[in-house]
Amino acid sequence: MQRVLRHAIAVTSLSALVLLGYHIATGSGAAVASVGADPGSGGLSDFWPDLATFTTGYSLSSLSNLRKVDALIDQQYVDPERIDHEKMFRAALAATERMLPEVLLDLDDKGESLSMEVGAYHGSLKVERIRNFSTLESALRKVAAVLEEHLDAKAVSLPDVEYALINGILGTLDPHSVFLPPEGSREMQEDNEGEFGGLGISIKSDEGYLTIEYPMEGTPAWKAGLKAMDRIVRIEGEETLNMDLKDAVKRMRGPAGTKITISIMREGFDVPQDFTLTRAVIKPNEVWARLMKGGVGFIHIDQFHAQVETQLQECLLQLARENGGQLKGVILDLRGNPGGYLHQAVAMVDQFLKDGVIVSTVDRNSRNREEKVARDTGMEPQFPIIVLMSGTSASASEIVAGALKNQERAAIMGERSFGKGSVQNLYPFQDESRLKLTVARYLTPGDHSIQGVGISPDIELNASLVAPAQEITRQGQKVMGNPRISLFYRDQYIEEADLEGALTRSEESDSPPVYSLRYLLPVVDDTAPRTDRPDPEKDPEAVLARDILVATKGSRRADVLRDAERILSAQAKSESGRLSEAFKGMGIDWSACAAPAPDQVQLKLSVVGDDMLRPGSLQEIQLTATNTGKQPVCQSLVRTESATNTVDGLEFYFGRIDPGRVLSRTLKVAVADGYPAEVAGVDLSLLDMSGAVMARGRSEIRTAGAELPRYAWSWRFDDSAGDKDGIAEPGELISLFVDVKNVGAGPGGSLSVSIQKGAGIGKSAELVAGTFTVEDLKPGASQSGSLTFRYQSVPTDLKELPFELNLRESERYDYASIVKAQFYSYIVQTEELKIPLNAPLPSGSREVPVIQITRAPEGVVREARVTLSGVATDDAGVRDVILYLGDKKIAYASGEDGLKSVPFSTTIDLAPGNNLLVVLVRDTHGLTSTRAVDVYLPVTP
């Protein structure tokens, strides 16, 4: 089953290792790291004195950053037994191949001879067997020297090549060790500080328009009356159509106290209105609080940034004042909190403990141990506490929960947490990049490791949704969707133990929940405007925690759990009835009965009224369950697991199946328009309410592939709205006419054609119409559209006006290559267009490359070895042809000397199951085509 990770992976740090001054503990969420020591003031310069004489000249072949990374791994990495130098070398090569389409690096099985293709260059290197960091660096320097000589330095960032090599090496260690390039490192550090100068809005791009998702409470935007769904059409007089989100954010941020004018368009405005705001210090993940009924304080913490301790103290004081001096209890909401600064998590726990260990850390081979112990200073009054946790609460959040739980200070409510028990250190480099390296493990009080296990809640909450189907729009038509039923969505979260290369899972397990409650979620309006501070009185988990705290007599964890029994017992009875009634309303008997004998139910999945799924259509699939036993099966559902995305992770709810009965349930599925021809196995599991498997089955589902469009286009700039002399001049309205033709075998879907201003244009040009869309273009048909901008003034530092033309097919694209093989960037065709100053307006024509497959394996094969052959052609010239098996590059052919036709052929050894072969072709203009072939080699029992 494909599982969803709602947050990216992040890091932790340990001050005991001297190099940096702050602890960091982050888990499954946004990267957070310490300020760190100045590399020139006793930090990294102790390791590498040459940093003080670092120059701006860059040489890839020197691999200066990689040298320092290797030294740190060698000296500081938490688990030396995981260091495999040859594996690192191969992973570095693979990461470089993935970054650079024109590069193929093939190391022989003995690890002694490396075949290299870099564009038109073909060669080989003899490398010493990789046994240590010295031989690893020596071999990679040889590789880097060849890359530096033969890569086009104008088209490829050589520092980024080194970063890719480094991240390939780090990827062999664990999922949390990573190297951050300078831009990502700066963004991370800004987020870590917990504040910046700005306006206080969350924005998104909606069809090219900058749109406000929500203003943050108390910020300049909130005070000025900006609203969700407002469109920002200008920033300081410059229009924002198709503006890059990062660029927009940079423009709106700035020193606190400075003014900025933005133009807003909203429903009810005839014309955009200007809002002049004064930037203020924005705290994007500010700790916030609400006083709930009964005198219970609710405190929400998004992540542990540098301001958490101060903001938490302010919230506690605010809540106490609002309640007349004393709180009845406190809810600490850490749901979805990925972690952050460890020292901030420790300081938070210290507010509620008088003494005792908060967290312990042990480094490489347990050489050093450090304990953080609570101090008897500034402790909060002895009110009861409940900590709310979710499956995506990680690292520093788990440290807080584990400390308060194991020191008997708070009860934990919600879901079992992510389970990240490792610690990372952050090392700054001279070029502003940063290394995050796993250097230690942490232990909760009592020396409990949560690695791969997580913190188990005392009160387990299982949120459930049972709601009728709603109307959905499919190909412009209103149709009924599926019933909205989900009892086990938590199972589809990725946890620490699921991450590739995760550190060894702890052998111990946390104590099981004292109580377990399944509750029915209210149906909410997903279209309602978002807010950064939702009302906890409308949050069922917060309300339950409030009711328990109001009823609690005492302040310890045991007191909370003792007094929770009555409330939870009554709630469980009520929720069970609500759940049964909800299922009854959908025609499902959800009554309970004794557990049946295993494997007494036969399962089969099929496509209703057809022998296969078809791209672009909404079809029904049917799950049939036959009870062949002598006992009824109750409260049952069937979950699917498959390599076919369309039928992976589905849940069919049956409820009661009496002996001898055959029951069927159907769901509607929509296959993406560009989905490939595919045969895939589907594993079927019959589950009970606890998630235990009662029976298993397996079916095969076929998906029919569809012919896809392929586009060619011509373009020309025109000043016919001006003086019509064919030269762009200030004050003129310039049009870019684009004629699009479908030269492929299949109909088009929705092709967006857009233009963006290039770097340095600024206010010299203003986009008037930045996008048009071509819908359902039939093979051989053409359609034209225009994009316009007003040429305002001659730019001071440019000799020409650069624009970027983008074409994106959002429906009928090669789904297998773009989504399944994750070549996301190739969904957009991009070309830079330049208007010369005081010269005739240019024009041109383009066509994406053609990929013709002449020999390919059938959808289902019996032999593991297959051949894929074909030819790539392009009117302007083929730059290169690359073949992949999944994400592994297996063949490369360069279009030397502007060849317009390049043949390709390779033999491939398949693995059992689904194998995705991808052909990627680039032409001399940088335009691309992909073609995927999905091959199924049956899995032998």
Side-chain angles (χ1 to χ4, degrees):
M1 179 184 298
Q2 293 190 346
R3 308 178 81 192
V4 179
L5 177 60
R6 293 172 60 186
H7 300 275
I9 298 166
V11 297
T12 58
S13 175
L14 179 65
S15 65
L17 297 179
V18 178
L19 288 180
L20 297 179
Y22 287 136
H23 298 326
I24 304 172
T26 71
S28 63
V32 182
S34 90
V35 178
D38 185 331
S41 60
L44 291 177
S45 58
D46 293 338
F47 277 86
W48 305 290
D50 62 310
L51 284 182
T53 58
F54 185 88
T55 62
T56 57
Y58 178 79
S59 169
L60 174 61
S61 57
S62 70
L63 295 178
S64 56
N65 283 335
L66 183 139
R67 237 179 345 111
K68 300 158 193 171
V69 168
D70 286 348
L72 284 166
I73 295 172
D74 192 33
Q75 298 172 41
Q76 304 294 338
Y77 187 66
V78 65
D79 188 355
E81 292 186 2
R82 296 176 71 92
I83 298 174
D84 182 330
H85 300 94
E86 183 173 329
K87 184 178 179 182
M88 287 177 165
F89 183 52
R90 292 183 182 276
L93 299 179
T96 307
E97 284 185 326
R98 183 73 177 185
M99 175 192 174
L100 301 169
E102 64 268 42
V103 172
L104 179 64
L105 307 170
D106 186 13
L107 184 66
D108 69 358
D109 292 339
K110 294 182 179 181
E112 297 174 350
S113 178
L114 176 65
S115 173
M116 297 187 67
E117 296 182 39
V118 186
Y121 168 80
H122 299 257
S124 63
L125 290 175
K126 289 292 184 181
V127 294
E128 184 179 352
R129 189 67 182 267
I130 311 298
R131 289 185 169 87
N132 50 41
F133 281 114
S134 177
T135 52
L136 172 65
E137 291 170 14
S138 175
L140 286 177
R141 277 197 295 270
K142 292 179 181 179
V143 173
V146 174
L147 295 175
E148 189 168 37
E149 179 179 357
H150 296 286
L151 287 173
D152 181 358
K154 294 181 180 179
V156 176
S157 166
L158 294 182
D160 285 346
V161 176
E162 183 177 7
Y163 302 148
L165 286 166
I166 293 171
N167 275 314
I169 287 172
L170 293 170
T172 67
L173 298 177
D174 64 77
H176 303 289
S177 293
V178 66
F179 198 79
L180 290 170
E183 183 178 359
S185 176
R186 287 190 292 268
E187 291 175 357
M188 177 192 67
Q189 186 160 347
E190 186 174 73
D191 290 341
N192 292 345
E193 293 307 303
E195 60 182 37
F196 54 82
L199 307 182
I201 49 176
S202 173
I203 62 173
K204 63 180 180 179
S205 180
D206 184 6
E207 296 182 348
Y209 294 96
L210 287 182
T211 304
I212 295 177
E213 289 188 295
Y214 57 83
M216 296 165 57
E217 186 173 322
T219 62
W222 186 79
K223 293 174 182 177
L226 298 186
K227 300 179 179 180
M229 302 309 294
D230 280 354
R231 285 184 169 178
I232 303 172
V233 296
R234 286 187 178 82
I235 300 173
E236 287 291 297
E238 183 176 350
E239 44 72 41
T240 62
L241 189 61
N242 294 337
M243 182 179 285
D244 180 76
L245 275 177
K246 286 186 178 180
D247 188 25
V249 169
K250 287 179 181 178
R251 291 167 187 263
M252 287 187 282
R253 288 186 181 181
T258 58
K259 293 185 180 298
I260 181 174
T261 298
I262 60 175
S263 303
I264 295 294
M265 189 67 189
R266 73 169 58 136
E267 189 175 350
F269 285 5
D270 294 327
V271 295
Q273 294 188 14
D274 288 345
F275 288 75
T276 299
L277 296 85
T278 301
R279 294 183 180 95
V281 174
I282 303 300
K283 300 174 181 178
N285 295 301
E286 185 174 19
V287 179
W288 59 272
R290 291 286 186 272
L291 184 65
M292 299 183 72
K293 295 176 182 178
V296 172
F298 177 91
I299 301 176
H300 178 82
I301 304 173
D302 275 316
Q303 69 180 55
F304 288 92
H305 53 68
Q307 309 296 322
V308 165
E309 180 183 10
T310 301
Q311 293 174 7
L312 174 65
Q313 291 171 347
E314 292 171 352
C315 285
L316 288 167
L317 289 172
Q318 166 202 326
L319 291 169
R321 284 194 301 268
E322 290 181 21
N323 201 51
Q326 179 67 46
L327 293 171
K328 180 64 181 75
V330 166
I331 301 168
L332 298 175
D333 183 11
L334 301 183
R335 290 172 296 181
N337 185 319
Y341 283 118
L342 179 57
H343 75 281
Q344 289 288 319
V346 169
M348 174 177 171
V349 174
D350 202 11
Q351 300 232 19
F352 303 108
L353 292 181
K354 182 177 182 179
D355 54 29
V357 173
I358 296 173
V359 66
S360 302
T361 50
V362 290
D363 68 357
R364 181 186 181 98
N365 293 330
S366 301
R367 294 175 307 186
N368 299 304
R369 177 188 176 96
E370 181 185 29
E371 288 187 348
K372 294 296 184 183
V373 180
R375 303 161 298 167
D376 187 12
T377 57
M379 190 177 66
E380 284 297 311
Q382 291 294 302
F383 42 64
I385 301 172
I386 288 179
V387 180
L388 291 178
M389 298 284 282
S390 69
T392 52
S393 302
S395 205
S397 300
E398 294 173 296
I399 289 170
V400 170
L404 294 177
K405 177 183 181 180
N406 293 349
Q407 295 293 0
E408 294 295 320
R409 185 64 186 89
I412 313 302
M413 176 185 286
E415 301 171 343
R416 181 166 51 83
S417 61
F418 185 74
K420 180 178 179 293
S422 62
V423 179
Q424 281 72 40
N425 214 356
L426 175 66
Y427 301 92
F429 282 56
Q430 188 70 21
D431 64 353
E432 296 188 62
S433 58
R434 280 175 168 79
L435 167 66
K436 295 184 290 186
L437 182 68
T438 301
V439 295
R441 300 173 187 262
Y442 74 76
L443 306 173
T444 59
D447 283 357
H448 299 294
S449 171
I450 60 98
Q451 174 63 29
V453 176
I455 302 292
S456 178
D458 296 305
I459 304 170
E460 181 182 52
L461 300 180
N462 296 298
S464 305
L465 178 66
V466 180
Q470 288 183 326
E471 274 193 340
I472 60 174
T473 301
R474 176 68 183 169
Q475 296 178 336
Q477 301 292 321
K478 290 286 187 180
V479 297
M480 292 303 295
N482 290 316
R484 293 169 293 157
I485 307 177
S486 180
L487 302 188
F488 299 101
Y489 73 92
R490 169 68 176 84
D491 294 348
Q492 298 189 39
Y493 285 176
I494 284 183
E495 301 170 341
E496 170 74 15
D498 299 315
L499 299 178
E500 185 177 354
L503 294 179
T504 305
R505 183 184 179 120
S506 173
E507 294 183 1
E508 61 179 308
S509 59
D510 198 14
S511 57
V514 179
Y515 305 103
S516 184
L517 173 70
R518 182 174 294 281
Y519 72 93
L520 195 63
L521 282 168
V523 179
V524 297
D525 181 6
D526 293 334
T527 64
R530 289 181 56 193
T531 174
D532 66 322
R533 299 184 182 183
D535 184 358
E537 297 285 2
K538 297 179 180 179
D539 179 340
E541 296 187 2
V543 169
L544 178 60
R546 177 204 68 193
D547 292 345
I548 292 173
L549 290 175
V550 169
T552 298
K553 297 178 177 62
S555 62
R556 309 297 292 170
R557 170 173 172 257
D559 299 324
V560 175
L561 296 179
R562 178 198 64 220
D563 296 331
E565 182 177 9
R566 178 180 57 81
I567 292 172
L568 290 170
S569 177
Q571 187 85 4
K573 183 177 180 179
S574 172
E575 292 294 339
S576 178
R578 293 181 64 218
L579 192 63
S580 293
E581 283 299 311
F583 273 114
K584 184 178 180 181
M586 306 182 73
I588 298 174
D589 180 355
W590 203 252
S591 58
C593 61
D599 297 324
Q600 71 175 45
V601 178
Q602 295 179 351
L603 306 172
K604 181 182 180 181
L605 184 68
S606 58
V607 181
V608 177
D610 205 337
D611 59 347
M612 62 179 62
L613 295 172
R614 302 186 181 279
S617 62
L618 187 67
Q619 293 172 268
E620 284 190 329
I621 56 173
Q622 178 173 277
L623 199 295
T624 301
T626 304
N627 187 348
T628 60
K630 297 180 179 180
Q631 298 171 275
V633 174
C634 298
Q635 294 183 330
S636 65
L637 70 145
V638 174
R639 181 182 294 161
T640 66
E641 184 175 350
S642 176
T644 296
N645 298 18
T646 313
V647 294
D648 178 52
L650 300 178
E651 292 180 347
F652 297 81
Y653 286 83
F654 285 86
R656 184 183 180 97
I657 311 173
D658 286 315
R661 289 289 307 276
V662 178
L663 289 184
S664 295
R665 298 283 188 257
T666 60
L667 289 176
K668 296 173 182 176
V669 296
V671 183
D673 287 344
Y675 208 89
E678 181 181 79
V679 179
V682 186
D683 291 317
L684 311 170
S685 299
L686 183 74
L687 309 177
D688 64 14
M689 272 288 281
S690 70
V693 178
M694 297 185 287
R696 298 184 187 275
R698 184 174 175 85
S699 295
E700 284 189 355
I701 289 291
R702 294 176 176 267
T703 304
E707 295 286 358
L708 297 176
R710 189 172 61 85
Y711 295 107
W713 60 94
S714 60
W715 53 268
R716 63 182 176 87
F717 286 100
D718 184 276
D719 69 337
S720 57
D723 60 10
K724 303 179 183 180
D725 65 353
I727 296 175
E729 296 162 327
E732 287 188 324
L733 191 69
I734 307 296
S735 296
L736 172 62
F737 290 101
V738 183
D739 182 73
V740 180
K741 183 176 183 179
N742 182 357
V743 294
S750 180
L751 178 72
S752 171
V753 182
S754 64
I755 188 174
Q756 283 182 288
K757 296 189 298 186
I761 288 185
K763 297 180 183 178
S764 295
E766 177 179 293
L767 291 182
V768 177
T771 305
F772 70 86
T773 303
V774 177
E775 303 280 358
D776 304 321
L777 197 62
K778 299 296 186 290
S782 299
Q783 187 173 325
S784 299
S786 64
L787 309 165
T788 57
F789 68 91
R790 189 172 300 280
Y791 183 11
Q792 304 279 51
S793 60
V794 178
T796 56
D797 299 326
L798 298 177
K799 296 182 179 179
E800 52 195 0
L801 295 175
F803 289 88
E804 191 177 83
L805 180 66
N806 298 297
L807 290 87
R808 177 191 178 105
E809 169 60 73
S810 60
E811 292 179 356
R812 297 186 61 82
Y813 56 87
D814 180 6
Y815 183 92
S817 301
I818 302 302
V819 178
K820 297 186 73 174
Q822 300 181 21
F823 290 104
Y824 299 115
S825 62
Y826 295 111
I827 197 172
V828 181
Q829 304 290 346
T830 299
E831 182 177 12
E832 187 176 16
L833 305 179
K834 297 179 180 180
I835 298 180
L837 304 182
N838 301 315
L841 291 166
S843 62
S845 62
R846 300 288 184 262
E847 182 174 330
V848 298
V850 178
I851 301 173
Q852 181 183 3
I853 303 293
T854 57
R855 182 180 177 185
E858 298 293 332
V860 180
V861 297
R862 300 300 170 185
E863 299 294 330
R865 175 158 289 191
V866 299
T867 299
L868 180 67
S869 303
V871 61
T873 58
D874 187 80
D875 59 337
V878 175
R879 179 177 174 182
D880 43 34
V881 183
I882 311 105
L883 276 65
Y884 294 85
L885 174 58
D887 62 355
K888 178 179 174 54
K889 190 180 295 185
I890 56 175
Y892 175 84
S894 174
E896 302 178 37
D897 302 323
L899 290 175
K900 295 188 177 183
S901 179
V902 175
F904 58 87
S905 183
T906 189
T907 301
I908 306 147
D909 290 321
L910 305 177
N914 284 87
N915 294 263
L916 185 62
L917 312 178
V918 176
V919 182
L920 170 65
V921 179
R922 298 189 302 169
D923 72 5
T924 54
H925 295 298
L927 304 178
T928 60
S929 288
T930 60
R931 182 81 176 269
V933 177
D934 190 277
V935 188
Y936 182 66
L937 178 63
V939 180
T940 55

